[in-house]
């Protein structure tokens, strides 16, 4: 089995491919709607749409694989500090505001219900 190393660059490219595939599917769906409105035969258009759906599904599967591999690679590189004597734990970093990272994240509301309405 061949081992492949994925980089963040590969992840960015895969995301771009999935966006292009989604645009192709949307364009083909519009073509089919136009054909149906005009009463023209749309059999070949449906065949192309089916192939586009399959292509989009394959690209999405590949994107999920690359995301999983890049996350595993990043986690494994974070587990091993490069210079264990001088490195501080990642959660003990204090920002210029004086708030440590975990407190700062928990202070931010997570849902839209917690936000007051914005009035101009």
């Amino acid at each position: 089995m061949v081992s492949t190393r994925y980089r963040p660059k590969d992840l960015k490219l895969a995301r771009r491919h999935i966006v292009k595939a989604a645009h192709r599917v949307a364009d083909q769906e519009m073509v089919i709607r136009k054909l149906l409105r005009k009463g023209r035969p749309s059999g070949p258009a449906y065949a192309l749409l089916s192939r586009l759906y399959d292509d989009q599904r394959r690209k999405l599967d590949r994107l999920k694989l690359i995301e999983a591999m890049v996350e595993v690679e990043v986690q494994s590189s974070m587990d091993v500090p490069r210079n264990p004597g001088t490195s501080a734990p990642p959660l003990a970093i204090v920002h210029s505001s004086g708030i440590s990272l975990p407190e700062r994240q928990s202070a931010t509301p997570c849902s839209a219900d917690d936000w007051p309405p914005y009035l101009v």
Side-chain angles (χ1 to χ4, degrees), residues 2-20:
V2 177
S3 176
T4 305
R5 289 186 56 148
Y6 293 107
R7 300 168 296 184
K9 184 178 180 180
D10 298 324
L11 182 60
K12 185 177 178 181
L13 186 65
R15 286 181 178 152
R16 217 177 263 160
H17 282 285
I18 196 70
V19 168
K20 286 182 180 180

Side-chain angles (χ1 to χ4, degrees), residues 51-66:
R51 290 194 307 270
L52 289 174
Y53 280 143
D54 291 341
D55 184 52
Q56 185 181 24
R57 182 187 42 79
R58 281 193 307 273
K59 288 180 180 182
L60 187 62
D61 291 342
R62 181 170 172 79
L63 175 66
K64 288 179 184 177
L65 171 73
I66 292 173

